Amino acid sequence: MRQATLETGVALAGAVLSGWGLWHALSFTRDSAYLPTAVMGLLTLLLLVWGIRSAWALRQAGSDTLRFAPGHARRFLTLLATSIAMIAIAPSLGFATTFLLFVPLSGWLLGYRQGKWLVVTAILFSLLIYLIFQIVLDRPLPPEMALRLVTGS
Amino acid sequence: MWDSILAALPLLFSPAVLLAMAGGTTIGVLIGALPGLSATMGIAVLIPLTFTMQPLVALGMMAGIYNGAMYGGAIPAILLRIPGTPAGIATVFDGHPMAQKGQGLEAMKIALTSSAIGGSVSALALLFLSPPLAAMALKFGPVEIFWLAIFGLAAIAVLLSDAPIKGLISACIGLVIGMVGIDSMTGNERFTFDVMELMGGIDILVLLTGLYAIPPALTLAQEALLLGRGGLGSSGRTRSGIGWRRLLPTWGRASIIGVVVGIIPGTGGNIAAMLSWNETRRVAKDKSRFGKGAPEGVAAAECANNADNAASLIPALTLGIPGSSVSAVILGGLLVHGMLPGPELFTRSAPVTYGFILAMLVTSVMLFVIGRLGARLFINVMYMPPLLLAPIIIALTTIGVYAINNSLFDVWLMLAFGVMGWGMERLGIPLAPAVLAVILGPVAESSLRRAMLIGHHQMGYLFSSTIAIVMVTLIVLTILVPLVRRLLAHYRGRPSKLALAADPERARRHMES
């Protein structure tokens, strides 16, 4: 895929979204609407200009081609997916406990194969997080599942 | 001023602040040494962690990270020909050839000393230039503040990107994000879509962490930059026999360039380093040595990029106009600790403000000591596996952002901003204008509304003072810069030095050709 194709698509989709934002901003009461209307209007215009310029570049032969190295997209999506899962379960398991699973699992899925370092790093990192946030900073975080399992309480 | 400095000294030299500065400097060098990570990212990740700290402890740590990361970028630039930070590109030109000649450690010593000198000069400039500028800002009314905010936005949006249209799009996105929440003047909701968590607006820390910490982590994992140990073989101990005294004029010139470039909004360490390296080569008797391992080249680049550090905070601290992404993040840090940029910073919060400025000076000196003691450790950091580092960064930002307001919504928002930032980077849309717009947008809007009330809704009131007219002229000139730059490049048939400095990859290609 060419860079210009991607830019044209993003710019036009953005212009539609921004246009909807402009319509939404028009519903604000008068004094609160000036700046949102002006900004959304300008944004829509800029996105349209960008889209037209990118579409024009598509017609030229010199537009850059997007190259995805093998594994790039897979690693990106893997980290994104594990991050989403981590954020979703952290309130139930506790942050340090979740990191104890998230760091080695993500590292492994991303392709890091030194098992010993994965485990050691995860334990040290989780301990450090627990010490900093629970003991030193005394932040009210969700209770730690690992701690409950170890202490039995 | 001297009273405030004296009042700041006991705070600055308290054990907690000294420890924070030393820790921050070390962390900064480590972050800078890792290709793909920058000072902005380092500070963005750590700001949530400093939330519960005393203001000067947090600011001392930020000062250390800023100075440390700028030097840290030189380590992979010299040893591996990969600039750890964008500002390290000019260091590659002479630093790596020195390493190839077996003078890698010597190049690192030059880079370290030059960074410490540049950082110290920059901190002194911040110390002596800020108070008069802040006093001048007292004369600013709503009209002048409105135009100043617009000038800051225009400068960053237009100068920071090769394509001004993308810079302006980024600024508009930031303005929209800044408008989310309840309008403080009318009490009406804007862009909240009845989501309770959005009523209070979007926390600047959530945005900063999302935009500056998540994209580097995603990129680290995606590209999995695995550095081989082979490149280090050339860090040897061969001595070129350079005299430190010979570097004095280079340091003097580079310091001035760095400070001047730092004060101008929209520039940055990479531009300062490139201009300084070019200038040092221009005045040299034997120009042919440059690009082949001239110690002056390393000194010029490293001294200038660190001289840019504190100087770039001058407009941020005095006028509330952050001139770069790092100063925007530091400004966010100040806001988090209840310190409002502007003249009040130098009166009401004087001890902490002067303490922070002095921390920029002290961490520059600390950098020299820490850099010498930990050289081997910092070299080894370059080889940390990115596939392990990326999840750690995500985890650290997650708990950091959650701990601010105990809100999972903030964490989801941060991730969304992170993915958006990653996409913007891929599309060549700069992130800094968006962040600056979030900070400056509300300032501009409230100043405009107050100006219109005072001026009885007459548009002419916006152009009623000399300062306002000067500002408007500057805005017009700034917007015309890309056009002039393009015309000049077309006329010369080659890119300008400034254009090269703004685009490190292009500069490297140009240098190689």
Side-chain angles (χ1 to χ4, degrees), chain B residues 47 66 89 106 111 350 387 433:
Chain B
I47 285 182
Y66 193 5
I89 180 74
E106 205 163 326
L387 298 178

Side-chain angles (χ1 to χ4, degrees), chain A residues 52-105:
Chain A
I52 292 166
R53 281 177 62 169
S54 305
W56 183 256
L58 263 178
R59 294 169 59 113
Q60 317 288 314
S63 171
D64 291 339
T65 307
L66 282 174
R67 285 190 184 86
F68 295 103
H72 271 207
R74 183 185 61 80
R75 281 194 293 268
F76 171 80
L77 292 171
T78 302
L79 185 59
L80 196 61
T82 51
S83 302
I84 290 170
M86 179 262 289
I87 297 170
I89 63 166
S92 323
L93 297 188
F95 280 96
T97 312
T98 309
F99 296 161
L100 208 55
L101 303 170
F102 168 71
V103 172
L105 186 71

Side-chain angles (χ1 to χ4, degrees), chain B residues 91-380:
Chain B
T91 311
V92 171
F93 299 158
D94 282 295
H96 189 65
M98 278 187 81
Q100 283 176 319
K101 285 193 270 182
Q103 298 160 0
L105 286 178
E106 205 163 326
M108 278 176 62
K109 276 184 198 168
I110 294 171
L112 178 64
T113 312
S114 307
S115 296
I117 290 171
S120 304
V121 172
S122 192
L124 290 172
L126 176 64
L127 184 64
F128 292 110
L129 294 180
S130 295
L133 203 61
M136 203 176 83
L138 280 172
K139 293 179 185 150
F140 285 19
V143 172
E144 289 80 9
I145 293 173
F146 167 71
W147 286 120
L148 191 67
I150 299 294
F151 169 66
L153 263 178
I156 302 296
V158 172
L159 299 180
L160 212 64
S161 166
D162 250 8
I165 199 161
K166 290 183 179 177
L168 291 169
I169 287 171
S170 175
C172 285
I173 292 171
L175 286 171
V176 175
I177 294 169
M179 280 184 277
V180 173
I182 292 174
D183 180 356
S184 58
M185 291 190 92
T186 61
N188 295 318
E189 289 175 27
R190 296 194 295 194
F191 300 114
T192 57
F193 307 105
D194 295 327
V195 176
M196 195 58 153
E197 286 88 346
L198 289 178
M199 298 287 178
I202 290 170
D203 196 315
I204 184 76
L205 279 187
V206 174
L207 179 82
L208 285 175
T209 318
L211 285 187
Y212 285 114
I214 302 293
L218 290 172
T219 308
L220 266 185
Q222 182 193 341
E223 294 178 357
L225 279 167
L226 289 170
L227 306 177
R229 294 242 167 203
L232 192 59
S234 50
S235 65
R237 289 182 175 274
T238 307
R239 290 186 174 275
S240 61
I242 55 129
W244 290 102
R245 213 176 287 177
R246 252 176 55 195
L247 296 178
L248 284 173
T250 306
W251 286 329
R253 209 179 302 112
S255 296
I256 294 170
I257 291 173
V259 168
V260 172
V261 170
I263 295 172
I264 303 168
T267 54
N270 52 337
I271 292 180
M274 280 295 295
L275 290 179
S276 171
W277 185 84
N278 264 319
E279 187 57 20
T280 305
R281 188 174 67 156
R282 194 185 66 78
V283 298
K285 283 177 188 160
D286 183 7
K287 293 181 180 56
S288 64
R289 292 189 308 116
F290 284 81
K292 293 171 188 163
E296 293 90 336
V298 178
E302 279 303 303
C303 186
N305 69 28
N306 270 65
D308 173 271
N309 287 3
S312 71
L313 294 171
I314 294 173
L317 296 189
T318 55
L319 308 170
I321 308 291
S324 63
S325 48
V326 189
S327 50
V329 176
I330 289 180
L331 201 66
L334 288 171
L335 293 170
V336 164
H337 290 282
M339 296 165 72
L340 292 173
E344 273 188 15
L345 214 54
F346 293 85
T347 50
R348 199 183 291 175
S349 316
V352 177
T353 306
Y354 281 101
F356 171 57
I357 295 173
L358 290 172
M360 288 297 292
L361 182 63
V362 174
T363 50
S364 295
V365 179
M366 276 184 172
L367 174 65
F368 183 76
V369 180
I370 290 169
R372 288 299 284 262
L373 293 177
R376 285 283 168 194
L377 166 75
F378 299 136
I379 290 171
N380 283 315

